[in-house]
Amino acid sequence: MSVTELRTEGRIAVITVDNPPVNALSHAVRAGLMDCLRDIGSDNNIDAAVLTCAGRTFIAGADIREFGKPPQQPFLPDVVLALDGFGKPLVAALHGTALGGGLEVAMGCHYRLAAGSAMVGLPEVNLGLLPGAGGTQLLPRLVGAEAALEMMLSGKPIPAQPARLAGIVDKVVVDDNLLVRAIAFANEVAKKPIPRSSERQMPPVNTALFEQRREQVAARSHGLFAPGKIIDCVEQAVSADLVSGMAFERAAFLACHASSQSAGLRHAFLAERSAVKVPNLAAATPVRDVKQIVVIGAGTMGAGIAYSCLTAGFGVRLLDKDADGIGRGEKTVRGLFEGGVARGKLSQDKADAMLAQFATDTNLANVADADLVIEAVFENMAVKKEVFANLGKHCRAGAILATNTSTLDVDAIAAASGRAEDVIGLHFFSPAHIMRLVEIVRGRSTADDVLATSAAFAKRLRKLGVVVGNCYGFVGNRMLYAYGRENQLMLLEGAPPEHIDHVLQDWGMAMGPNAVGDLAGIDVGYKARKERDDLPDDPRFYQVANLLVEQGRLGRKTGRGTFLYEDGSRTPKADPEVQQLINDEAARLGIEQRVVPDDEIIDRCIYGLVTEGARILEDGIAARAADIDVIWMNGYGFPRYRGGPMHYADSVGLDKVHARVCEFRDRFGAQYWEPPQLLTDLANSSATFADFVK
Ligand code: 3HC
Ligand code: NAI
């Protein structure tokens, strides 16, 4: 079946784009649109045309999956120019999300009608791109340079009504008859002079705007390439005619498209959509009904998880072992609702309705009505086993029992319940009500329908649920060990903590590893290490962290960790005492200190991640390299524009990564730097992690 269909209603042609799932502008759609224009143009029985889309949305943009493939004519800018210059009135009927190339096509049309629920936007910046089919030239003509820049630099779509007020949309259709109204509208305008976006008088602009925006972008967008180019294009739109403005835009678009940043961001977009598809699970797997949730442990994580579940419409009972714990937890949950209302995120009425579904209890046996239990008690195997033995006794048959453990063996916890098939890991990240990532840990015995239900549940919470296997730390925290290990070793070798943080932050990490440790509490990892009996035999291993904890320097919460936090400040400050402590320990261990070059700081930390990621793939703990990327971008502040550690390694070239890892092995020993077999094999065959399928 063709992805574009042409029919007539009286003297009005109706072009329907039907290219599921989101009517992206694939080559077939672009060619189909051009064919329709040709047919409409040559048909004397047609006075005007409506462009509409089948399915859930108007065109949501260029086809992201075609990027990187050889381009095929007609190119999208040519389609938009053809629409703009067309000799009969064209009316776009927008529903769903008219985004990117979709909005550009709509702006090429001469009128735009939108359903009340429609959203319009130019989100290309999120993909490291700029609107490349006239968007940077047409939108300023419709709404002025300032508002156009705001939309394109933020990438945020706006609803139909504000879009009408801004001048993007001509009319909002509030009933369900968008297409009928659009056809009637086309009949009304059929004989009128055609208002072309290209011929709109650009509203006057104060040219100082462009310098101001450049300064803002330089300060805020961390070296991103596309925002500056968007400003250049809009500046061009002020003086250029459409055709030359679009030629300028095209060159800027191609430069963005060729950048590694855009490749990373496009990978991030697609990886996030593939990661939520559960590997090795039949599509027809049934899901269990989940309405009532019990969260056990009302601490940092339990309260955040309870809030997330309540806002997604579930009933929640929060349990803790004592009145103090439950009191704190309840206060936190209510505080989050108050904050949400104060910031306008939800109305008081909605908050009240959600809180009506909230209860607390200290009776740990009060779980009989739970469809899903999420345990978030202390990170201690004995405590978790006791809780799960209790759940095994008191929960109804078929209830799902989830643990939020961040490291521990899910199979051992599951065994304690006596019904391991119902048990799964749901590893939320802190703060749980904000972080999108959930590692869904599939245990040895986890039933398929428990897995399918958990994936659906994560989606209901509007989180990214990535299925991983069971091992110490799963994917994220297992890799964090390697990253943190190199940071800790380099401290002893002479790299000051503030310098390591600065270098990695400059490289793109949201925070440096030492500031992150202070934020999470250095004691958390310390306690976790104390519980392990498989740590490397190496006196340097996390030794600086150990000493800091033993001196009561636990991080921000004690005002002193690796850094100082004076008078409640949240800004880390280098502390000469810590440097002295590090230097003394290095001397005691016989480590000769040196200046560690910046590129070594980056490569040791990032290739530490990559080599552990490769082992995780070898072990089958992650199904796809892209899943690892999603976890690190969404849970650990890895820069999206680098696409995650595995994509980054692919972009560097695995032969180069392998060579550097071998260099580290030769310099620092095989204990940490023996290249994983997978890395060696892929490097030898000029392949990438993206090619790897277990
Ligand atoms: N191209 C190709 N596939 C796309 C796509 C696109 N532009 N947008 C979405 N898809 C696919 C997704 O990959 C997913 O595929 P899958 O089912 O096989 O996994 C499917 O459509 C559904 O997507 P979502 O899961 O994201 O569905 P939602 O309903 O949550 O969201 C959406 C829909 C709001 C349209 C969201 O997908 C989105 O934001 N898409 C990207 C929009 C965008 O960035 N457009 C600009 C593209 S660049 C451009 O147009 C350049 C031009 O200026 C030249
Ligand atoms: P926390 O110490 O803030 O809260 C734990 C709560 O559990 C306390 O309120 C305590 O009273 C309660 N509790 C302890 N034993 C109990 C029992 N037997 N029955 C009922 N309640 C009991 O701990 P936090 O930080 O919320 O961690 C909870 C779990 O979440 C741990 O497994 C941790 O590893 C995991 N996690 C923590 C993250 C973090 O950043 N804090 C991130 C991701 C996971």
Side-chain angles (χ1 to χ4, degrees):
M1 209 199 77
S2 170
V3 291
T4 52
E5 185 209 76
L6 183 59
R7 64 186 170 86
T8 50
E9 295 251 343
R11 295 187 65 80
I12 304 300
V14 178
I15 307 168
T16 305
V17 175
D18 188 2
N19 185 27
V22 296
N23 293 312
L25 287 154
S26 62
H27 171 249
V29 172
R30 301 193 305 271
L33 287 174
M34 291 302 257
D35 289 347
C36 289
L37 288 186
R38 186 198 55 220
D39 294 349
I40 296 167
S42 62
D43 189 338
N44 292 333
N45 294 317
I46 297 179
D47 295 334
V50 170
L51 172 60
T52 182
C53 289
R56 61 203 252 208
T57 183
F58 191 76
I59 299 163
D63 190 335
I64 297 171
R65 291 171 203 275
E66 272 187 6
F67 288 146
K69 297 186 185 154
Q72 269 182 293
Q73 286 184 332
F75 301 138
L76 191 55
D78 300 329
V79 176
V80 171
L81 279 172
L83 292 165
D84 180 78
F86 195 62
K88 298 178 185 180
L90 298 173
V91 180
L94 314 180
H95 75 289
T97 43
L99 301 178
L103 181 56
E104 290 172 305
V105 162
M107 290 191 292
C109 293
H110 309 126
Y111 299 95
R112 286 155 295 282
L113 263 60
S117 56
M119 303 283 290
V120 302
L122 292 174
E124 285 87 342
V125 71
N126 298 326
L127 299 170
L129 297 170
L130 50 83
T136 65
Q137 307 302 298
L138 295 173
L139 190 61
R141 286 170 161 85
L142 296 183
V143 303
E146 189 163 6
L149 277 174
E150 171 57 33
M151 264 183 87
M152 289 188 274
L153 292 174
S154 75
K156 286 199 185 119
I158 59 171
Q161 281 295 3
R164 187 186 65 78
L165 294 175
I168 302 172
V169 160
D170 300 289
K171 203 169 176 180
V172 177
V173 176
V174 286
D175 60 28
D176 288 339
N177 297 319
L178 177 65
L179 184 56
V180 174
R181 308 262 175 234
I183 293 169
F185 186 88
N187 270 311
E188 272 172 42
V189 299
K191 301 285 180 210
K192 292 195 176 155
I194 298 178
R196 301 177 199 281
S197 301
S198 59
E199 289 170 0
R200 292 279 182 102
Q201 264 306 325
M202 177 107 170
V205 54
N206 176 355
T207 47
L209 171 73
F210 299 109
E211 275 325 300
Q212 281 165 12
R213 286 293 176 278
R214 281 195 182 94
E215 278 166 27
Q216 280 172 2
V217 155
R220 285 192 209 146
S221 57
H222 310 290
L224 285 179
F225 185 65
K229 293 277 174 200
I230 289 173
I231 299 171
D232 293 348
C233 289
V234 175
E235 194 170 29
Q236 193 71 14
V238 173
S239 52
D241 62 63
L242 184 65
V243 172
S244 49
M246 280 180 68
F248 184 91
E249 176 195 76
R250 179 85 185 146
F253 177 84
L254 292 176
C256 288
H257 183 264
S259 70
S260 62
Q261 292 182 351
S262 178
L265 288 164
R266 285 174 349 236
H267 170 76
F269 178 89
L270 294 174
E272 283 172 359
R273 276 145 189 91
S274 74
V276 295
K277 298 192 173 102
V278 183
N280 306 321
L281 186 74
T285 309
V287 291
R288 298 187 189 179
D289 197 22
V290 176
K291 289 197 178 76
Q292 178 63 34
I293 295 174
V294 165
V295 177
I296 306 187
T300 311
M301 295 305 289
I305 294 169
Y307 176 78
S308 283
C309 296
L310 286 164
T311 54
F314 294 101
V316 175
R317 188 178 316 117
L318 183 60
L319 305 186
D320 205 283
K321 61 183 167 46
D322 53 40
D324 266 6
I326 210 67
R328 249 180 290 122
E330 177 159 3
K331 200 168 154 215
T332 308
V333 172
R334 291 189 182 277
L336 289 172
F337 274 104
E338 279 161 24
V341 171
R343 285 195 311 279
K345 291 244 168 208
L346 82 177
S347 68
Q348 188 63 54
D349 284 356
K350 270 201 178 151
D352 291 344
M354 287 164 178
L355 277 168
Q357 302 299 312
F358 179 51
T360 56
D361 206 330
T362 50
N363 175 6
L364 300 178
N366 189 1
V367 292
D369 61 345
D371 304 311
L372 165 65
V373 178
I374 304 174
E375 165 278 311
V377 304
F378 300 138
E379 185 75 343
N380 175 288
M381 185 53 96
V383 178
K384 304 250 188 218
K385 280 188 172 170
E386 196 187 318
V387 170
F388 274 76
N390 186 48
L391 292 176
K393 251 186 260 156
H394 296 291
C395 285
R396 67 164 177 78
I400 296 176
L401 314 181
T403 172
N404 181 48
T405 178
S406 44
T407 51
L408 300 176
D409 181 351
V410 171
D411 290 330
I413 295 172
S417 73
R419 38 165 114 174
E421 67 283 3
D422 291 332
V423 177
I424 194 156
L426 286 179
H427 178 210
F428 291 78
F429 285 68
S430 180
H433 63 292
I434 291 176
M435 299 290 281
R436 276 182 80 207
L437 180 65
V438 180
E439 281 183 322
I440 301 177
V441 188
R442 184 182 210 165
R444 193 189 309 126
S445 310
T446 305
D448 280 359
D449 62 344
V450 170
L451 186 63
T453 309
S454 300
F457 170 66
K459 207 174 263 179
R460 262 276 307 267
L461 298 190
R462 290 206 239 140
K463 296 198 184 283
L464 281 167
V466 184
V467 174
V468 299
N470 181 32
C471 65
Y472 189 87
F474 319 124
V475 169
N477 283 341
R478 176 169 158 182
M479 288 169 69
L480 185 64
Y481 246 87
Y483 179 78
R485 176 198 75 215
E486 288 307 307
N487 166 49
Q488 288 275 316
L489 291 175
M490 287 188 284
L491 292 175
L492 288 172
E493 289 166 38
E498 62 280 9
H499 185 66
I500 294 181
D501 277 22
H502 169 76
V503 167
L504 284 164
Q505 234 182 318
D506 236 34
W507 186 82
M509 297 300 294
M511 284 172 82
N514 295 296
V516 169
D518 279 356
L519 179 63
I522 313 178
D523 54 320
V524 175
Y526 180 84
K527 283 189 204 135
R529 288 192 297 281
K530 287 278 171 217
E531 294 235 348
R532 289 187 76 171
D533 54 12
D534 60 345
L535 294 182
D537 180 19
D538 177 358
R540 303 166 306 161
F541 188 74
Y542 281 89
Q543 177 61 358
V544 175
N546 293 343
L547 293 176
L548 291 171
V549 172
E550 282 153 18
Q551 294 199 356
R553 302 188 66 122
L554 307 186
R556 261 197 214 174
K557 61 187 167 193
T558 54
R560 292 158 8 122
T562 310
F563 300 118
L564 268 182
Y565 302 86
E566 283 164 338
D567 305 322
S569 160
R570 295 164 143 229
T571 312
K573 193 172 153 207
D575 185 347
E577 266 182 39
V578 169
Q579 193 57 60
Q580 194 54 52
L581 173 145
I582 295 172
N583 296 350
D584 292 348
E585 188 60 10
R588 194 185 71 79
L589 294 170
I591 298 168
E592 202 173 311
Q593 293 195 313
R594 65 192 167 96
V595 173
V596 183
D598 292 357
D599 64 334
E600 185 182 321
I601 292 176
I602 294 164
D603 288 354
R604 282 176 65 182
C605 286
I606 304 303
Y607 294 167
L609 286 178
V610 170
T611 47
E612 199 57 40
R615 287 189 193 94
I616 280 171
L617 286 173
E618 283 173 346
D619 295 350
I621 296 297
R624 302 160 284 230
D627 294 0
I628 298 176
D629 289 333
V630 170
I631 288 170
W632 264 79
M633 288 185 290
N634 289 284
Y636 299 85
F638 197 96
R640 276 180 86 76
Y641 66 83
R642 294 195 190 271
M646 310 315 276
H647 173 86
Y648 171 71
D650 281 348
S651 70
V652 169
L654 294 190
D655 51 344
K656 292 200 186 77
V657 175
H658 183 261
R660 186 75 156 147
V661 169
C662 291
E663 179 201 324
F664 290 156
R665 177 197 55 201
D666 298 344
R667 282 172 63 196
F668 306 120
Q671 184 177 23
Y672 303 130
W673 287 109
E674 189 59 42
Q677 192 58 45
L678 177 64
L679 175 60
T680 307
D681 291 348
L682 292 174
N684 286 344
S685 54
S686 306
T688 62
F689 286 122
D691 298 326
F692 173 76
V693 185
K694 192 157 170 102

